[in-house]
Amino acid sequence: MQSDTPGRRMTRRDFVRRSAATAVLGGMLAAPSIPAAAQEVAPPGGIPRRRIPKLDTDVSVVCFGSFGLTNPAVLEAALDAGVNLIDTGPGYSEGNAERVIGQVMEKRRDEAILTTKFEKVVDGITKDELLQQLDGSLQRLRTDHVDIMQIPMADSAKVFQVPALYEAFAEAKEAGKVRHLGFSAHDANLGDCITEAIEHDEMAGMVIRYNVMQPPDLDDRLQKAAEAKLAAIVMKVSAGNRDKELQEFAREGDLQTAAVRWALSNPSITSVCCGMLSFADVEKFTQAVQQPVSQADLDLLRRYRVAVDHVYCRNCGTCQRSCPHGVMVKEITRYAMYYRYYGFEREAMRLYAALKPSARAAACTACSGHCAGACPHGLDTPRIMAEAHRMLS
């Protein structure tokens, strides 16, 4: 059998797995599930809004994603168009995204619900260190408070048990610097993070990866989160942006807008975080969310899922656990995605260089392939890591 991945033949195992994936997707995308009108507030001609219960606030169903942001006028255009939810973090271009947002917030803070992240939350960190991180973001954002302060890159339930996190939150909330906590997560075990976050009343929301490549049981977790009044802001809904390298998708519609509408067909989703780096991005996404998901959208996503099933990394960490060198496969795969498919070449290289040398993929270029065959989805991890090292170095 021929594979659509250069240099790799499709095995019978691949064929069976992809057939099963198609069957699963039939259940996920068989028909749109449009949220009840009572769950949304739609200003005439404007962007629909859904509620973040613990903030007692309605937010736009499209969230302003600021990774790579350089032009404050783009954010102003988004606010003018009705976007009122902004997500950022101190790690975005070494704090520059927060600085750009700050140029707008000092004039229009009352028009936005603002979320950012701690730089790190790890076992042993102190309350004062976390408060210093918060104050750094507030200074860059030119504001006296943020609405949700997130745990960054949550990868297990343990991160929610760091005592200093709640000590810092209590002090910051008393001072009026933050209203609630939240978390962000990319990893496949984010379901455990959701379950743990539900147990903490301080948690108001999460920013998590959500797309058609992920297991259907994630929707059950999101429903439980919604019932517990934990808002879900989702990102990376287009599952890697690989449609432009696949010729069959060139004329079949816009994958990004289809994915945004599909995500919003889940009533447990509050908002979709979309990267808005240009005025064209603002127009594209603010227009997209004013229409429900269509059958054409679902068909496009179904075909895309099958096409990238064996090349899209789910960040499950299975291959990483088999590596004797300590290579951070999940992070490197994400940086390679930023480089190839998101247009963030410089940022991807900066993030890769920031890894300690032993965590980079240099060892993969001469490794015998301890992770070969470890990926449950059939990814050729040794080749991917060797290519990523050459690309990002």
Side-chain angles (χ1 to χ4, degrees):
M1 299 178 189
Q2 295 295 321
S3 168
D4 51 5
T5 301
R8 183 178 185 274
R9 291 180 62 84
M10 185 185 296
T11 65
R12 179 174 177 79
R13 177 187 176 194
D14 293 333
F15 179 78
V16 172
R17 187 190 66 253
R18 293 178 71 182
S19 297
T22 303
V24 170
L25 193 63
M28 293 174 66
L29 299 180
S33 173
I34 307 301
Q39 294 177 284
E40 292 189 350
V41 175
I47 299 172
R49 295 189 174 189
R50 298 182 186 179
R51 182 154 291 256
I52 297 183
K54 291 184 181 180
L55 296 183
D56 194 26
T57 302
D58 294 323
V59 296
S60 52
V61 296
V62 58
C63 170
F64 188 93
S66 63
F67 190 96
L69 179 67
T70 59
N71 186 354
V74 174
L75 174 55
E76 297 224 50
L79 292 172
D80 292 341
V83 175
N84 74 333
L85 179 60
I86 303 169
D87 178 67
T88 190
Y92 295 0
S93 302
E94 300 180 280
N96 285 329
E98 286 188 329
R99 293 185 185 95
V100 174
I101 292 170
Q103 295 177 46
V104 180
M105 289 299 96
E106 68 177 352
K107 300 178 292 184
R108 304 179 66 170
R109 179 65 183 90
D110 61 345
E111 298 178 48
I113 298 299
L114 185 58
T115 77
T116 191
K117 303 166 182 69
F118 290 107
E119 294 172 37
K120 60 180 178 179
V121 177
V122 294
D123 193 33
I125 200 166
T126 68
K127 176 194 73 172
D128 288 342
E129 288 173 325
L130 290 173
L131 289 173
Q132 287 173 7
Q133 292 178 27
L134 170 60
D135 286 341
S137 284
L138 293 176
Q139 183 178 12
R140 288 185 292 272
L141 290 165
R142 303 187 192 182
T143 183
D144 60 359
H145 76 284
V146 293
D147 297 286
I148 299 178
M149 193 71 181
Q150 303 170 42
I151 300 170
M153 302 297 294
D155 58 2
S156 76
K158 292 181 180 179
V159 75
F160 295 87
Q161 298 162 12
V162 175
L165 175 67
Y166 303 99
E167 295 168 5
F169 169 70
E171 185 168 321
K173 185 175 183 180
E174 179 68 22
K177 294 181 178 181
V178 62
R179 295 173 66 188
H180 271 282
L181 292 176
F183 74 94
S184 68
H186 294 253
D187 288 350
N189 64 346
L190 61 86
D192 293 337
C193 293
I194 294 173
T195 299
E196 181 67 25
I198 288 172
E199 299 302 316
H200 297 270
D201 190 58
E202 298 91 342
M203 295 285 161
M206 53 186 158
V207 179
I208 62 169
R209 184 172 65 163
Y210 180 79
N211 55 58
V212 297
M213 307 302 293
Q214 292 174 249
D217 64 353
L218 181 59
D219 285 343
D220 295 333
R221 306 276 190 133
L222 289 173
Q223 182 176 346
K224 289 181 173 62
E227 292 167 354
K229 299 183 179 181
L230 186 66
I233 303 162
V234 298
M235 61 180 171
K236 292 183 169 58
V237 293
S238 56
N241 281 359
R242 301 183 73 131
D243 54 310
K244 294 178 178 62
E245 72 177 10
L246 301 169
Q247 293 183 0
E248 64 267 32
F249 290 94
R251 297 179 298 276
E252 293 191 19
D254 187 276
L255 180 77
Q256 291 182 334
T257 54
V260 168
R261 287 190 287 262
W262 167 77
L264 288 172
S265 72
N266 183 341
S268 299
I269 301 299
T270 305
S271 186
V272 179
C273 192
C274 300
M276 297 191 212
L277 306 182
S278 68
F279 300 112
D281 290 336
V282 172
E283 182 177 10
K284 172 180 175 176
F285 291 116
T286 56
Q287 292 296 316
V289 298
Q290 297 186 47
Q291 298 293 327
V293 65
S294 68
Q295 191 60 52
D297 292 334
L298 301 178
D299 291 341
L300 179 65
L301 292 167
R302 183 182 294 109
R303 291 192 296 274
Y304 179 77
R305 189 200 195 284
V306 173
V308 303
D309 178 62
H310 63 302
V311 293
Y312 177 75
C313 177
R314 276 76 162 179
N315 281 57
C316 68
T318 303
C319 59
Q320 190 161 310
R321 290 189 289 272
S322 68
C323 177
H325 307 293
V327 174
M328 298 183 70
V329 179
K330 295 186 294 183
E331 288 76 8
I332 295 169
T333 302
R334 190 170 74 255
Y335 302 160
M337 178 183 67
Y338 293 159
Y339 187 104
R340 278 188 172 132
Y341 307 114
Y342 284 78
F344 299 135
E345 292 91 347
R346 184 176 300 178
E347 181 71 357
M349 295 176 73
R350 181 189 71 80
L351 290 168
Y352 186 64
L355 296 176
K356 60 183 181 180
S358 61
R360 299 174 204 156
C364 302
T365 60
C367 182
S368 60
H370 295 275
C371 62
C375 178
H377 304 286
L379 274 68
D380 187 353
T381 307
R383 177 184 60 80
I384 292 170
M385 286 295 97
E387 290 180 353
H389 177 68
R390 288 190 289 268
M391 179 174 61
L392 297 171
S393 296

